[in-house]
Amino acid sequence: MNKEQIAYEKGYRVTKEGQLLNPKGIKIGCINSAGYKHTSIKINKKYTNIATHRLQAYQKYGDKLFEYGIVVRHLNSNALDNSFDNISIGTQKDNYKDIPEENKKKMVYKQIKYPKEFVLKLREEYKDVKKYAELSSKYNIPFATIRYLINKRKVFKDA
């Protein structure tokens, strides 16, 4: 059973206006670092986050929400608007189409290219230290980037 189904069974609901309610009907929720409204509920002695928009989608579409490749869409691109009419489901491609054109232009992904010599040096260093975190700290490069540079076969031309 998915966490949205469990939350629904426990009595959590989202109103037509998009307000999350606990089983007693009290308004609850906060905003996470990604900008979505959510709350935490206890499932099997552990707390887990329930996103308001996903619970609204479950109430609206049922188990279709859990089909492969399906995501929850905010039709007006406002992540805080979890109203019934603003929530839909679709593919990631559909979700991208919901983004206003002026916002798409702002979505520039910064990709840093590292020189071949640096990547080779990094790989040699890793053979000695065997710790991504140590290299991340030493070179002030995110842990995930260090791991990517070390493990990907081709991260630069002629690799």
Side-chain angles (χ1 to χ4, degrees), residues 13-155:
R13 298 292 185 272
V14 182
T15 66
K16 294 275 186 189
E17 296 77 30
Q19 179 62 54
L20 181 61
L21 305 175
N22 71 11
K24 295 179 182 178
I26 299 169
K27 293 179 180 181
I28 57 170
C30 56
I31 300 171
N32 66 16
S33 61
Y36 293 100
K37 291 181 182 176
H38 75 101
T39 194
S40 291
I41 68 168
K42 203 171 196 178
I43 300 175
N44 298 327
K45 300 179 183 178
K46 286 185 177 181
Y47 282 94
T48 187
N49 285 329
I50 302 295
T52 305
H53 64 283
R54 289 190 56 80
L55 185 56
Q56 180 74 288
Y58 177 68
Q59 289 176 189
K60 189 172 180 179
Y61 298 102
D63 291 342
K64 286 184 180 181
L65 171 64
F66 309 118
E67 291 177 7
Y68 179 78
I70 295 298
V71 298
V72 178
R73 302 164 55 201
H74 288 87
L75 297 176
N76 69 2
S77 293
N78 179 353
L80 297 176
D81 181 355
N82 296 303
S83 61
F84 187 84
D85 293 335
N86 189 48
I87 296 297
S88 185
I89 58 174
T91 64
Q92 190 61 47
K93 188 174 183 179
D94 297 329
N95 200 27
Y96 182 75
K97 289 177 185 175
D98 297 335
I99 301 170
E101 286 303 318
E102 62 271 12
N103 292 6
K104 286 179 187 175
K105 291 174 186 170
K106 294 175 188 174
M107 295 172 66
V108 176
Y109 297 99
K110 186 178 179 183
Q111 187 177 9
I112 300 171
K113 300 286 184 186
Y114 292 94
K116 180 178 181 176
E117 297 76 25
F118 174 75
V119 175
L120 294 173
K121 176 184 172 194
L122 195 64
R123 289 174 178 176
E124 283 303 312
E125 252 183 272
Y126 179 76
K127 288 177 184 176
D128 294 331
V129 296
K130 298 279 187 215
K131 293 180 183 173
Y132 299 123
E134 191 174 312
L135 295 172
S136 173
S137 177
K138 179 179 179 179
Y139 293 105
N140 196 25
I141 296 173
F143 179 94
T145 303
I146 293 287
R147 188 176 60 216
Y148 178 83
L149 292 172
I150 289 169
N151 295 312
K152 273 296 198 188
R153 286 186 184 167
K154 191 168 186 172
V155 294

